[in-house]
Amino acid sequence: MLGWDWVRKGLAMWMRCPEDKHVILNDYLQGWAASATGLSLADLRKAVGLLNWVAAAFPQGTADVTPLTHMRTAGEAIYKRQSDASPAEVVVPWTKHGKVAISFWHEEFKLWNGCRALFADFGPFYSWQALIQIDASTDWGFGGFLWIPPRLVGFNRPW
């Protein structure tokens, strides 16, 4: 979570991308999206690192880092075979998914306000807030309950 601004709004905590980073990343995305042939290995390394960082608060882009990671991996293999080239000289051609991914990031990132509310995902450190049980396996009908402590609500209906 390094590099994010932390903002408190009422009871909620928000993470915000600093404005200068937002502008710089938007410029990178514009340049990468404009490339017709592909990206250099140096640019792919930069893109994957930066987009993984941003995905912490821009989850809609998380899945679109993977095609760029695949391109970077292909570029690393090319780089190892061409010992006299620098990462900036190794150009990896666009894959279909890589071009779509960078286009998505380019279009959607510039619309994003740079903020995301923090919340605790369900996991071993956080328990449920509500418990629901539903059963529809009887000949008579179905039923269930919803428990949000201290309130318990039940329901049942015949078929």
Side-chain angles (χ1 to χ4, degrees), residues 9 22 30 43 67 102 105 129 132 138 144:
K9 294 180 182 178
H22 196 276
Q30 185 174 349
D43 280 336
I102 209 71
W105 272 91
Q129 293 176 318
I132 187 169
T138 67

Side-chain angles (χ1 to χ4, degrees), residues 136-149:
S137 61
T138 67
D139 291 336
W140 175 82
F142 64 94
F145 68 87
L146 171 65
W147 182 38
I148 303 175

Side-chain angles (χ1 to χ4, degrees), residues 22 25-34 51 58 60-61 64 99-113:
H22 196 276
L25 188 52
N26 200 37
D27 289 346
Y28 277 136
L29 287 166
Q30 185 174 349
W32 295 332
L51 299 181
F58 187 70
Q60 59 269 44
D64 283 316
K99 187 65 174 172
V100 168
I102 209 71
S103 295
F104 168 82
W105 272 91
H106 175 242
E107 292 301 318
E108 295 300 317
F109 185 78
K110 63 185 170 189
L111 302 175
W112 179 52
N113 69 359

Side-chain angles (χ1 to χ4, degrees), residues 15-98:
M15 55 193 296
R16 181 178 59 213
C17 180
E19 184 61 31
D20 58 341
K21 289 183 182 183
H22 196 276
V23 169
I24 290 168
L25 188 52
N26 200 37
D27 289 346
Y28 277 136
L29 287 166
Q30 185 174 349
W32 295 332
S35 171
T37 56
L39 295 180
S40 71
L41 176 57
D43 280 336
L44 283 165
R45 288 174 175 173
K46 189 179 297 182
V48 170
L50 288 171
L51 299 181
N52 270 323
W53 176 78
V54 173
F58 187 70
Q60 59 269 44
T62 303
D64 283 316
V65 177
T66 303
L68 301 172
T69 303
H70 289 179
M71 287 179 64
R72 183 194 63 190
T73 303
E76 295 289 354
I78 295 167
Y79 177 62
K80 285 181 182 178
R81 289 191 303 269
Q82 297 178 357
S83 58
D84 59 335
S86 73
E89 295 170 327
V90 174
V91 176
V92 181
W94 283 118
T95 63
K96 176 182 162 187
H97 298 295

